Amino acid sequence: MPALGTLFLWLLWLAVSAFVGERLDAEGGAVAGLSVALLILLLLQTRRINRLQNWLSDVSQRPPVDDGLWQDINLLLSRQKRQHTVALARLEAEVARFEAAGQAIPEGVIALDQDRRIRWVNRLAVRHFGLDPVADRGNLLTHLVRDPLFAVYMAQGDFEEPLLLHPGHQPGLALQMFVVEFGDAQRLIVSRDVSDREQVERMRRDFVANVSHELRTPITVVSGFVETLLELERDEAVAALPDVLPLLQKQMRRMQNLVADLLTLAQLESAPEQPPMTPVDMPSLLNGMVAEARALDGRRHVIGSQVEAGLQLYGSSTELRSIAGNLLTNALRYSPEGRRVEVIWQRGKDGRGTPCAVLTVRDEGPGIAAEHLPRLTERFYRVDGGRSRDTGGTGLGLAIVKHALTRHGGHLEIESEVGRGSQFRAVFSVERMVPDGD
Ligand code: ADP
């Protein structure tokens, strides 16, 4: 019992002081001795309390060394202090782990307090809502996200359905936003970037609208003719057939071409990532296509060709035929009669001097103005819509070329000058070229 020992020592000290005081001076000596002893005791205790207070207020100091009751108190406090420091460090590590986990969440997260003020945001939420993670802490979110839809959504308090938001600070950004209520009227705002999904949805809608638009005209023409024929007397209808049938045939071809190109695109999109590494005899494929084109063209154009013998590619013959076919058809389709169309297949060098194989289709047609060039490979993009449709064009040819070329690790280069003609170069990288002797 160290405390009792200390108490005993103090009492002994007081008794001895009183006894010594009495011995020195018979009258009041004991009281004086006791008082002096008490004063000394008081001073000693004050010093100890002072040392303890200093240590408690400065963690870095060593704990005071004492004896008896004071040493017990010091040890107890020292142990509690150590436990507290360990618990605090653990808590800090835990908070840091939660913070890191919150930052790693693949969605934006904002924690709001009961007053709807921002308590915490993760990096994605900062990007989604254009926030400042430090300066905006403690601010009202509704003051920072200036969208009436957002304000109404937050005010009405019904969060069953998520909100679709288009924040103004980043054009094209679409967010799906959820509100989760937790704890004591606090809220979590969770945001998900759905820009890609929205863009795909928009493209799908545009695509369906374009296809419907392309089909509407031929269907209207065909049904118009059929109705007229049905209304005619049998003899009149038979007499009209030689004029009507070619027109019907043209519209049917248009629809057939459209369906064929749509199927080709769908096949390209659903095909495996890479076309096969099967050797394709490009010289014989191209020579065959040029011969076919000459036969179909019936000398309306001069079709020249320079095909390098033995220059083969690894790939899909169907897709390579599609690339060459679309470029050649376009050159013939848009060039006036009597002009020259040239097909060239040869080795070349790309921009970095690496070998490549190049299919060039050159014409002396009307040419294409520079502003159209970047958009030519978009689906249904046409420079001359009338001429394209009149000649069986679908607006999908160059989209197919680009898609098939990309799959073969190649790319399309277009040069054109209005009034002078165009040159389309399908460039295939060296990986797709069959080495000589294989
Ligand atoms: P289309 O079936 O209409 O030819 P494409 O995708 O093949 O569709 O071509 C897109 C547009 O590019 C065409 O409508 C046409 O206006 C233009 N174009 C393509 N090739 C040529 C060319 N050789 N000369 C002039 N214009 C061309």
Side-chain angles (χ1 to χ4, degrees):
M1 298 284 270
L4 277 179
T6 311
L7 189 63
F8 175 74
L9 280 175
W10 287 356
L11 290 175
L12 192 65
W13 161 252
L14 292 177
V16 170
S17 308
F19 177 73
V20 172
E22 201 216 346
R23 282 278 131 166
L24 291 177
D25 178 0
E27 211 178 292
V31 176
L34 205 60
S35 305
V36 170
L38 273 175
L39 193 66
I40 293 171
L41 260 181
L42 194 67
L43 281 173
L44 281 173
Q45 302 311 328
T46 310
R47 212 177 117 231
R48 281 169 160 156
I49 290 174
N50 211 18
R51 274 206 321 241
L52 188 63
Q53 191 194 21
N54 284 345
W55 172 63
L56 284 176
S57 59
D58 183 358
V59 192
S60 62
Q61 277 191 28
R62 288 172 64 79
V65 180
D66 225 313
D67 49 27
L69 185 62
W70 282 103
Q71 182 60 6
D72 290 351
I73 293 173
N74 288 349
L75 284 175
L76 264 175
L77 283 174
S78 176
R79 196 180 312 145
Q80 279 183 5
K81 206 166 159 185
R82 257 199 323 273
Q83 284 170 350
H84 174 72
T85 312
V86 170
L88 196 70
R90 268 206 207 117
L91 200 67
E92 276 172 2
E94 207 63 33
V95 170
R97 248 203 309 279
F98 267 108
E99 164 95 23
Q103 294 295 358
I105 294 175
E107 328 243 44
V109 181
I110 304 176
L112 301 183
D113 63 15
Q114 291 98 327
D115 301 326
R116 312 290 178 249
R117 289 178 189 280
I118 298 174
R119 291 190 67 169
W120 183 84
V121 278
N122 73 354
R123 269 189 291 274
L124 264 182
V126 165
R127 223 184 297 153
H128 286 170
F129 292 94
L131 301 174
D132 182 323
V134 181
D136 289 337
R137 197 164 285 193
N139 283 337
L140 283 170
L141 187 60
T142 36
H143 283 184
L144 299 167
V145 181
R146 298 224 159 259
D147 184 324
L149 274 181
F150 177 75
V152 170
Y153 183 75
M154 293 304 281
Q156 56 152 19
D158 176 9
F159 305 125
E160 192 97 334
E161 291 294 321
L163 173 71
L164 185 64
L165 208 62
H166 295 94
H169 71 283
Q170 197 181 318
L173 177 66
L175 294 178
Q176 195 174 35
M177 202 196 84
F178 303 83
V179 176
V180 186
E181 293 186 287
F182 72 103
D184 186 11
Q186 296 170 63
R187 284 174 179 178
L188 273 187
I189 310 282
V190 180
S191 54
R192 185 176 295 162
D193 186 342
V194 290
S195 315
D196 285 353
R197 213 196 296 171
E198 214 181 52
Q199 198 188 342
V200 168
E201 183 55 30
R202 200 178 315 125
M203 279 167 65
R204 195 190 63 79
R205 274 199 308 269
D206 289 353
F207 187 71
V208 172
N210 275 321
V211 172
S212 317
H213 178 75
E214 292 297 325
L215 284 173
R216 191 177 300 134
T217 314
I219 289 176
T220 311
V221 174
V222 170
S223 60
F225 277 129
V226 171
E227 271 167 31
T228 313
L229 285 175
L230 285 173
E231 279 166 11
L232 291 176
E233 293 297 325
R234 188 184 161 81
D235 290 349
E236 283 175 328
V238 172
L241 280 182
D243 292 332
V244 170
L245 284 181
L247 297 170
L248 284 179
Q249 190 186 34
K250 188 177 164 191
Q251 299 306 325
M252 297 308 285
R253 283 233 176 90
R254 217 171 129 180
M255 289 192 274
Q256 276 171 340
N257 288 348
L258 181 64
V259 171
D261 278 357
L262 285 172
L263 277 177
T264 307
L265 262 183
Q267 274 159 6
L268 283 172
E269 273 167 2
S270 59
E273 266 314 290
Q274 296 278 316
M277 288 300 274
T278 318
V280 177
D281 187 350
M282 287 298 283
S284 91
L285 184 141
L286 290 171
N287 286 329
M289 291 183 77
V290 168
E292 265 172 47
R294 283 190 186 125
L296 283 172
D297 189 60
R299 292 182 182 275
R300 279 195 295 270
H301 301 91
V302 183
I303 305 177
S305 68
Q306 300 167 43
V307 175
E308 187 176 320
L311 180 51
Q312 302 193 16
L313 284 183
Y314 290 119
S316 146
S317 61
T318 317
E319 292 179 30
L320 293 169
R321 173 180 283 279
S322 190
I323 294 170
N326 275 301
L327 294 181
L328 183 53
T329 310
N330 276 354
L332 294 169
R333 176 180 291 154
Y334 296 107
S335 298
E337 280 196 23
R339 301 287 170 84
R340 190 176 172 82
V341 169
E342 191 80 20
V343 177
I344 305 162
W345 175 237
Q346 61 187 12
R347 282 164 216 277
K349 292 264 165 70
D350 68 11
R352 279 170 289 167
T354 315
C356 57
V358 187
L359 171 67
T360 308
V361 179
R362 195 182 292 148
D363 65 55
E364 299 170 348
I368 305 159
E371 72 261 24
H372 296 294
L373 296 183
R375 298 197 59 191
L376 280 191
T377 55
E378 281 176 24
R379 293 167 188 200
F380 297 110
Y381 188 84
R382 291 167 162 118
V383 180
D384 182 349
R387 176 135 187 86
S388 161
R389 289 191 183 89
D390 276 357
T391 50
T394 60
L396 294 172
L398 291 179
I400 291 172
V401 169
K402 184 183 173 188
H403 211 318
L405 252 177
T406 310
R407 280 173 43 76
H408 281 81
H411 65 273
L412 186 65
E413 294 173 1
I414 310 172
E415 278 173 35
S416 192
E417 205 179 318
V418 176
R420 301 205 63 161
S422 311
Q423 171 173 289
F424 290 76
R425 278 163 45 93
V427 183
F428 296 90
S429 62
V430 69
E431 293 80 32
R432 283 279 162 186
M433 292 164 68
V434 179
D436 287 341
D438 264 29

